[in-house]
Amino acid sequence: MQSGISASPTLHTHFRTFLTNPSSFALLITITSERLEPLETVPSSTDFYASLPTLTPHLTPTRALYILLRRHPSTHPSPLTCITYIPDAAPVRQKTLFASTRLTLVRELGAEMFGEGMFATEGGDLTREGWEKWEAGLQGGIEEEVLSREERELEGVRRGEGGAVGERKMVGMEGGGGMKVGVGEGVVEALKRLVGVEGPGLVMLRIDANETIALAGVEDVDIPGLSKAISETEPRYSFFRYTHEVEGQATGSIIFIFTCPSGSKVKERMIYASFKKVVMDITSQKAGFEIAKRV
């Protein structure tokens, strides 16, 4: 399902100019008034990796952006890479709009021109180190990279921001368009057990292969044991009950800990960031408690 947005005539003109000018490294594109519009062209430096830092001034923590990169010479059959830059702090509607319009952009400008498609959520993804890590993880042919794999990633983000999720057990969450996401067995029950001062003190959630919020583990740990209990290799939503005294009475305050290790894939960071609000809604609407502190 696409967003209904289309490329403006101005973008088509700028794109043709960009293709024919080998000294142009990147074409920046945004969405304005329901149209895909060009922002500016970034000139190339001495080589590809030397040109990557020229993108940094254009990357902000709150604004999504499309970046068409010249990865190969113009004589290459598919010289461009389409980058969808959607930072975690971008507004929810903007995330949804840019994620759901990416295929439209590629197809209207000519899918054959794009060798790969990339999601980025932070400036580090567009450094030499980030780029080499991403390229090392590419699998499959050119067509699969731009269309099939990209379709799956787009669907993951769209579901997290407001789409539907198949024939799985569902829990409705109001917000961002009345989104519905799959919630696995035992998640709500485990969270409810955090209330009070008895029962396990740590509940960890993950996003499984079906993009359902699933139970990753339940532990009875204290503060020093948190670092060992929470995964160091995979993203996690963790809820820790901190037991303390208030006016002589033992009480438990719930601390929300969102961890996303530096080695996590771009797709993982995108999906976990977009599902975070849904997870928080589950605690208040289904588990019956409010978060005292977020870490």
Side-chain angles (χ1 to χ4, degrees), residues 15 29 33 46 53 62 89 114 124-125 153 156 167 179 212 214 220 224 230 245 263 286:
F15 183 65
I29 299 171
S33 301
T46 53
T62 57
F114 298 91
D125 296 329
E153 291 180 347
E167 299 294 329
M179 69 177 72
T212 295
D220 189 11
I230 299 175
E245 288 191 359
K286 299 295 180 179

Side-chain angles (χ1 to χ4, degrees), residues 121-247:
T121 59
E122 58 185 42
D125 296 329
L126 299 177
T127 62
R128 178 169 186 150
E129 180 181 3
W131 190 274
E132 289 179 340
K133 182 182 295 185
W134 173 72
E135 282 199 327
L138 287 180
Q139 295 178 356
I142 288 175
E143 183 177 0
E144 178 184 353
E145 282 304 319
V146 173
L147 301 179
S148 301
R149 189 176 74 100
E150 198 269 339
E151 288 271 19
R152 293 195 297 271
E153 291 180 347
L154 183 148
E155 284 298 309
V157 176
R158 186 170 60 81
R159 287 167 185 160
E161 297 295 355
V165 187
E167 299 294 329
R168 300 193 292 274
K169 177 180 179 182
M170 306 295 286
V171 56
M173 292 291 135
E174 295 303 320
M179 69 177 72
K180 293 179 181 290
V181 299
V183 179
E185 298 286 347
V187 169
V188 174
E189 291 77 7
L191 290 172
K192 285 181 176 180
R193 294 180 63 195
L194 283 173
V195 179
V197 294
E198 298 181 356
L202 177 66
V203 174
M204 295 165 287
L205 307 180
R206 64 185 179 88
I207 306 298
D208 67 13
N210 294 319
E211 293 169 5
T212 295
I213 298 171
L215 190 63
V218 177
E219 300 279 352
D220 189 11
V221 298
D222 53 14
I223 292 177
L226 281 175
S227 60
K228 292 183 179 180
I230 299 175
S231 175
E232 296 181 352
T233 59
E234 298 179 0
R236 287 288 185 267
Y237 306 114
S238 301
F239 298 85
F240 174 67
R241 185 183 62 242
Y242 173 58
T243 303
H244 55 106
E245 288 191 359
V246 176
E247 297 180 352

Side-chain angles (χ1 to χ4, degrees), residues 7-226:
S8 71
T10 304
L11 176 57
H12 282 287
T13 300
H14 276 69
F15 183 65
R16 288 193 294 269
T17 301
F18 172 68
L19 285 178
T20 57
N21 184 359
S23 65
S24 297
F25 176 61
L27 177 61
L28 310 183
I29 299 171
T30 190
I31 298 174
T32 304
S33 301
E34 306 301 311
R35 287 290 190 95
L36 288 159
E37 298 283 2
L39 284 175
E40 61 180 288
T41 301
V42 179
S44 62
S45 186
T46 53
D47 58 37
F48 177 78
Y49 289 113
S51 298
L52 282 176
T54 63
L55 299 176
T56 302
H58 306 283
L59 306 177
T60 74
T62 57
R63 183 186 71 164
L65 190 68
Y66 295 118
I67 306 171
L68 307 187
L69 269 192
R70 189 185 304 278
R71 182 64 184 96
H72 305 288
S74 299
T75 53
H76 192 281
S78 301
L80 306 180
T81 295
C82 179
I83 299 170
T84 305
Y85 172 72
I86 307 180
D88 293 344
V92 170
R93 185 178 184 279
Q94 191 179 102
K95 287 182 179 180
T96 307
L97 202 58
F98 272 75
S100 62
T101 305
R102 180 180 179 179
L103 283 179
T104 298
L105 173 66
V106 169
R107 287 167 176 163
E108 288 205 14
L109 296 183
E112 72 281 0
M113 301 302 300
F114 298 91
E116 301 89 20
M118 176 189 189
F119 271 114
T121 59
E122 58 185 42
D125 296 329
L126 299 177
T127 62
R128 178 169 186 150
E129 180 181 3
W131 190 274
E132 289 179 340
K133 182 182 295 185
W134 173 72
E135 282 199 327
L138 287 180
Q139 295 178 356
I142 288 175
E143 183 177 0
E144 178 184 353
E145 282 304 319
V146 173
L147 301 179
S148 301
R149 189 176 74 100
E150 198 269 339
E151 288 271 19
R152 293 195 297 271
E153 291 180 347
L154 183 148
E155 284 298 309
V157 176
R158 186 170 60 81
R159 287 167 185 160
E161 297 295 355
V165 187
E167 299 294 329
R168 300 193 292 274
K169 177 180 179 182
M170 306 295 286
V171 56
M173 292 291 135
E174 295 303 320
M179 69 177 72
K180 293 179 181 290
V181 299
V183 179
E185 298 286 347
V187 169
V188 174
E189 291 77 7
L191 290 172
K192 285 181 176 180
R193 294 180 63 195
L194 283 173
V195 179
V197 294
E198 298 181 356
L202 177 66
V203 174
M204 295 165 287
L205 307 180
R206 64 185 179 88
I207 306 298
D208 67 13
N210 294 319
E211 293 169 5
T212 295
I213 298 171
L215 190 63
V218 177
E219 300 279 352
D220 189 11
V221 298
D222 53 14
I223 292 177
L226 281 175

